[in-house]
C-alpha cells in the first residue's frame, strides 16, 4: 500500500425512495424508505461505496464513527473495527416503544447492533476500495466465487392498493388482500424476474386467510419452494395449527412465534425446519440457540447487521459446524446492497437457499445504469474490480432531495398503521 | 484478474532438516524432520510459496490434488477447496499402529485431516500470490494487522545430549533431564530469542520430575507465564495430582489427560483453564466440546491442519462466540510456516496468548536471508507484498538432498524411542 491510498474523506448521504404500502406484523411500510449511501475516498482519488440503514440513530452513529477512518489503509479492516467500537459505544438512545417494535421486526434497527452495523457499512466500502486496488471483484477478496449467480426468491406482501396519505401515484402492483390477488402478485413478480421460490410476509391478516393464500400459491406454482414469515406475530398454538394446515408445503417456517423460547416450543411439535432473522441475529444469540439444542435450523443472515461480509462468512462456518442452514434476510434496499449480498453469497459455498430481497418493490436506483437485472430470479456475480457498481450522482442527488423533503427520520410501521387503524397496537403475538 | 495470472505449475519439494532428540509422550524426535515446500507459479511467472507436512501420505495427497490448481485464478480459494475435496477423498491408508500414535501426538499427521491439510498447503501459497497481485502483505488480505508483532513462547523439551544414531555432531543445547538442566535450557533460549512466556513439553519423564522442573522454572523466571503439555500421557488422577503441585503457577494446562472425556474429568476438578491441540482439532470436535459445556477453554489452533489461515480466522470467531481462548500449536518447521503464522496471528485480534513454535530447535532455513530474527520473543509482521519471504534455492536444493538421503518417510517418534528403550510401548496414558 503506498501512502497515497490512505483514506481521506468519508461522505454519508441519507436518501429516501418510494416504498409501497406493504403490510407486516409491526404495521405497514411508510411511503418512503430510508437508506444511507457511504462513500470512502482515498488520497489517490479512489472511491469505495456502500449502502446501509438511513434512520437518524444510524446516521448519528455513522457520523460519530467516520473520523476513525481518517488516514487508514483500505486494507485495515481490523483496525477500522476496533476504532469504530471505541467510538460508537455506548449506543445512541431512542424512544422505548419505538425500540420494542423495531427489535421484533427488524433487528437491523436495534441500537444493540450499532457497532456491527457501522462496521459493516464501512467494511463493504473498504472492500470496494480493496478490489479496485487489487483489480479484483469483491467476491475474489472473499475467497472467490463458489457460484456465478446468486438466486433470490419472490418476496410477496399483503398490501392495499395505495398509501393512505397518497403521496404519489399508486404503485403498479395493486391490492393484495385475497388469495387470488396474492397469486396474481406472485405471477407478476415471477414473470418479471424469473424467481424460482416464493416467500410470503405474513403476520398481517388473520392466520387462516394467510394460510389460504399459501394454499393458493401451492396450487398455482406446484413444485416451487414456499416459505411463510409471520414475523413472530403468532402464538405457539397458532403457529402449530397453521403449519398443520400447510403440511408438506413449506421449505422452511420463518419466525412463526416470538422469542427463542417460543420458537423452541414450536420446534418441539413441528417437523418443518424453523428459520429466523429475529432470534438469532448475532453471535451471542447463535450460541444461545445451540445451548437450547438448535430449535432454529436456518439462520437468515443480513450482512448489514451481522458486521459485514466477512462476519457473515464466519457465521456460515458456525452454521456448518452446528449443522444449520444459512440464507439471507433483506430490508427495503437499492442496488448497492443487492450487489454486496451477491458478492457475499457467491463466496459462501453452503448458502443453498435462495435469498430474500425487497428489490422488486423498489422502482428507483442509485447505481449507474439504473435497475439491476435479475435473470431466472438470479443476479450474476459482477466481475469488474471492487463491487462492480458505481454511483449515479444525479440519482443520488435526487434521492437525497427525497430524503430532505419526505420528513421521515425513523422507520415507523406502527405509526403509519395507526393512520389506517387507530386501534392497532402492534403488540405481539397478535394472533 | 487477467488470464495470464492463471496458475500454470505446482511444484512440491520434500525437504528434511536436522531436528534434536526431543522427548515427548509418543517417544523421541528422529534426527531429521520432514516438511514439503509448495511453489505455485502463474502463467505470468509469479511464484507463491508455502511450507507444510512432508510425510509420504501427505506428499501423495498433495500430488493427487495438485492438478486441481491448473488454470485456476490465485483468488479462487473456494473453487480450489472444492476441487481438492473432490480429489483427495477417500483418505490415503496408513498402518494402523502408526495412525494411533500420530493421532494422539500430532493431529496434523492424521489422514482424517487430509483435505484440510492440502487446502491449507495451497491456500497460503495462493494468498502469497494474491498479495503479490494486490501489492499487499498477506495480513492485509486477512483484514489487516491488529498488532505489528506476534509473540511466541519458549518451547522447552527434555532431551538427551544427542541422537542415539549419532548422524551428525551433537546440537548445542546439551542434555536436559533434570530441573537445573531445564532452567539452563530456558535461560539459553530466552537469552537468544527474548521469549516472555515458557511452555514445557511434558509426558516424557515421570510426572513428579516434570513438576519439579516446572517449580524450578517458576523460581528462576518469576512472573513469566508458564504452561505444561503432557500430551495426554497422564491419567486423570495424575493430572489432578500434578496440577495441585503447580498451584498458582500455570497460565493454562495443555492436554494433561487423554480424550475429551478425560479432559472433561480434569476440568471438573481443576480451576486452571485447559488448553488443547489434541481433542479440539477440527470444527466437529469444536462442537463436541461445546456440547460438553466447554471443558476445554483454549484452542491451540494450527493453520496447517485446520484448513488454512482463513479457516483459523473463522475458528477465532467460534472461540469468541463460545468464550474460548485461542492460541497456536506448532510442529518442527522452518521460516515459511513461521511467517504464515505471523500474518495469521497478526490478523486475529483476540489471539492474546503467545504462540508455540519449535523454531529455536531448528538451525537451518529455506528462505532467503536465512534464519528469521525474533525480537523480545516476537516476530515483526512483514509488510512486503504476499508472505514477504522468498525461497533460497540453494538451501532448498540442499534440504531436498537431506530428504533423499535421510531415508525417513513417516514421522515415527515411537520407533525412534525403541532404539533407546526396546520396551517402550507408547501406550497412553503412560503415567
Amino acid at each position: 500500500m503506498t501512502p497515497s491510498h490512505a483514506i481521506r474523506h468519508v461522505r454519508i448521504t441519507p436518501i429516501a425512495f418510494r416504498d409501497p404500502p406493504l403490510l407486516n406484523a409491526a404495521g405497514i411500510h411508510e411511503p418512503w424508505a430510508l437508506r444511507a449511501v457511504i462513500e470512502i475516498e482515498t488520497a489517490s482519488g479512489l472511491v469505495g461505496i456502500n449502502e446501509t440503514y438511513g434512520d437518524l440513530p444510524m446516521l448519528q452513529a455513522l457520523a460519530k464513527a467516520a473520523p476513525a477512518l481518517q488516514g487508514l489503509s483500505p486494507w485495515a479492516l481490523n483496525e477500522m473495527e476496533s476504532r469504530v467500537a471505541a467510538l460508537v459505544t455506548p449506543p445512541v438512545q431512542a424512544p422505548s416503544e419505538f425500540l420494542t417494535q423495531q427489535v421484533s421486526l427488524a433487528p437491523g434497527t436495534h441500537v444493540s447492533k450499532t457497532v456491527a452495523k457501522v462496521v459493516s457499512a464501512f467494511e463493504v466500502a473498504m472492500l470496494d476500495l480493496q478490489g479496485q486496488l487489487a483489480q479484483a471483484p469483491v467476491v475474489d477478496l472473499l475467497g472467490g466465487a463458489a457460484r456465478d449467480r446468486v438466486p433470490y426468491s419472490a418476496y410477496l406482501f399483503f398490501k392495499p392498493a395505495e398509501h393512505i396519505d397518497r403521496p404519489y401515484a399508486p404503485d403498479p402492483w395493486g391490492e393484495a388482500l385475497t388469495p387470488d390477488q396474492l397469486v396474481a402478485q406472485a405471477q407478476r413478480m415471477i414473470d418479471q424476474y424469473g424467481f424460482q421460490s416464493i416467500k410470503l410476509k405474513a403476520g398481517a391478516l388473520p392466520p387462516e386467510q394467510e394460510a389460504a393464500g399459501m394454499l393458493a400459491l401451492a396450487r398455482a406454482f406446484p413444485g416451487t419452494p414456499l416459505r411463510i414469515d409471520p414475523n413472530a406475530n403468532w402464538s405457539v398454538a397458532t403457529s402449530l395449527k397453521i403449519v398443520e394446515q400447510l403440511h408438506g408445503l413449506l421449505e422452511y417456517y420463518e419466525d412463526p412465534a416470538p422469542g427463542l423460547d417460543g420458537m423452541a416450543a414450536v420446534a418441539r411439535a413441528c417437523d418443518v425446519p424453523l428459520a429466523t432473522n429475529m432470534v438469532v441475529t448475532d453471535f451471542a444469540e447463535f450460541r444461545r440457540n445451540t445451548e437450547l439444542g438448535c430449535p432454529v435450523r436456518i439462520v437468515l443472515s443480513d450482512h448489514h447487521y451481522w458486521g459485514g461480509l466477512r462476519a457473515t462468512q464466519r457465521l456460515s462456518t458456525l452454521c456448518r459446524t452446528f449443522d444449520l442452514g444459512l440464507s439471507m434476510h433483506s430490508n427495503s434496499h437499492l442496488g448497492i446492497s443487492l450487489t454486496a449480498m451477491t458478492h457475499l453469497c457467491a463466496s459462501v459455498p453452503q448458502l443453498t437457499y435462495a435469498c430474500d430481497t425487497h428489490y422488486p418493490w423498489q422502482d428507483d436506483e442509485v447505481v449507474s445504469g439504473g435497475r439491476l437485472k435479475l435473470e431466472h430470479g438470479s443476479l450474476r456475480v459482477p466481475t469488474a474490480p471492487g463491487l462492480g457498481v458505481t454511483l449515479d450522482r444525479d440519482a443520488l442527488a435526487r434521492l437525497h432531495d427525497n430524503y430532505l423533503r419526505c420528513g421521515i427520520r425513523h422507520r415507523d410501521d406502527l405509526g403509519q398503521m395507526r393512520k389506517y387503524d387507530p386501534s392497532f397496537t402492534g403488540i405481539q403475538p397478535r394472533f
Side-chain angles (χ1 to χ4, degrees), chain A:
Chain A
M1 233 284 302
T2 60
S4 61
H5 294 310
I7 292 167
R8 191 171 50 178
H9 294 306
V10 178
R11 279 185 297 279
I12 297 152
T13 310
I15 61 173
F17 44 83
R18 284 179 294 279
D19 201 23
L22 307 179
L23 286 162
N24 59 41
I28 189 165
H29 284 208
E30 295 164 276
W32 299 95
L34 306 182
R35 298 293 271 180
V37 170
I38 315 288
E39 296 171 80
I40 300 182
E41 190 176 328
T42 66
S44 53
L46 297 176
V47 179
I49 63 173
N50 191 25
E51 172 187 343
T52 185
Y53 308 99
D55 55 290
L56 193 59
M58 180 64 176
L59 294 174
Q60 289 169 338
L62 288 166
K64 201 167 171 189
L69 301 188
Q70 200 60 240
L72 266 195
S73 156
W75 297 102
L77 298 173
N78 280 316
E79 176 66 17
M80 176 273 286
E81 219 166 309
S82 66
R83 290 191 190 179
V84 165
L87 278 174
V88 302
T89 47
V92 181
Q93 290 302 317
S96 65
E97 184 204 338
F98 174 72
L99 267 189
T100 310
Q101 179 207 337
Q102 298 301 349
V103 175
S104 60
L105 181 66
T109 59
H110 188 217
V111 291
S112 72
K113 302 282 189 288
T114 304
V115 172
K117 285 154 56 185
V118 173
V119 164
S120 177
F122 293 158
E123 183 223 42
V124 175
M126 287 169 76
L127 286 169
D128 187 23
L129 284 172
Q130 291 182 14
Q132 294 172 52
L133 290 171
Q135 288 295 296
V138 165
V139 67
D140 277 0
L141 301 171
L142 300 174
R147 53 184 68 82
D148 63 1
R149 58 199 74 202
V150 170
Y152 293 89
S153 67
Y155 198 165
L156 311 185
F157 283 81
F158 293 109
K159 66 184 283 293
E162 62 177 322
H163 286 288
I164 197 165
D165 359 45
R166 298 188 167 185
Y168 41 67
D171 67 69
W173 295 93
E175 182 181 87
L177 297 170
T178 68
D180 284 354
Q181 288 173 326
L182 194 65
V183 168
Q185 183 187 95
Q187 191 63 61
R188 182 189 179 102
M189 202 176 277
I190 286 171
D191 288 348
Q192 213 170 326
Y193 295 93
F195 294 118
Q196 287 163 31
S197 57
I198 295 173
K199 161 170 171 169
L200 173 63
K201 175 62 83 185
L205 307 183
E208 303 284 348
Q209 276 175 249
E210 297 186 335
M214 288 298 285
L215 292 166
L217 290 167
R219 280 189 302 272
F221 304 97
T224 301
L226 297 178
R227 312 154 185 179
I228 186 166
D229 172 16
N231 259 140
N233 215 6
W234 294 352
S235 68
V236 171
T238 302
S239 300
L240 291 173
K241 190 178 67 182
I242 300 295
V243 80
E244 183 74 30
Q245 293 173 18
L246 303 179
H247 187 76
L249 294 188
L250 294 180
E251 184 182 22
Y252 57 67
Y253 197 17
E254 180 178 342
D255 287 314
L260 187 51
D261 293 334
M263 292 287 274
V266 174
R268 277 192 290 276
C270 148
D271 58 3
V272 181
L274 299 188
T276 189
N277 74 293
M278 299 178 77
V279 297
V280 178
T281 64
D282 58 31
F283 292 100
E285 291 176 347
F286 185 98
R287 176 176 172 176
R288 184 148 182 257
N289 183 49
T290 67
E291 287 165 354
L292 293 184
C294 294
V296 169
R297 305 295 317 165
I298 296 149
V299 178
L300 305 176
S301 174
D302 185 326
H303 69 269
H304 300 89
Y305 63 76
W306 272 91
L309 307 189
R310 296 168 320 130
T312 308
Q313 289 192 299
R314 292 173 183 214
L315 170 63
S316 78
T317 301
L318 276 101
C319 285
R320 197 178 45 191
T321 299
F322 289 89
D323 212 12
L324 302 186
L326 178 67
S327 187
M328 294 278 288
H329 160 263
S330 133
N331 285 125
S332 304
H333 65 87
L334 295 180
I336 306 175
S337 280
L338 189 65
T339 301
M341 275 176 78
T342 300
H343 282 286
L344 168 60
C345 296
S347 81
V348 177
Q350 64 267 43
L351 210 156
T352 49
Y353 297 100
C355 298
D356 291 350
T357 178
H358 286 66
Y359 199 63
W361 293 110
Q362 274 70 58
D363 59 3
D364 221 325
E365 194 39 280
V366 73
V367 299
S368 298
R371 300 278 297 165
L372 302 177
K373 226 180 136 38
L374 287 104
E375 291 166 4
H376 308 295
S378 293
L379 194 66
R380 223 174 245 283
V381 185
T383 55
L387 284 174
V389 289
T390 54
L391 286 174
D392 174 336
R393 300 216 159 261
D394 291 340
L396 181 64
R398 186 167 41 72
L399 297 179
H400 180 60
D401 281 345
N402 286 346
Y403 173 81
L404 296 176
R405 275 197 295 258
C406 76
I408 297 172
R409 294 298 176 262
H410 298 88
R411 177 176 170 180
D412 185 9
D413 294 28
L414 172 62
Q416 182 70 6
M417 189 62 176
R418 284 184 176 151
K419 297 181 188 170
Y420 297 76
D421 174 7
S423 72
F424 186 84
T425 65
I427 292 168
Q428 295 187 342
R430 186 165 158 217
F431 304 107

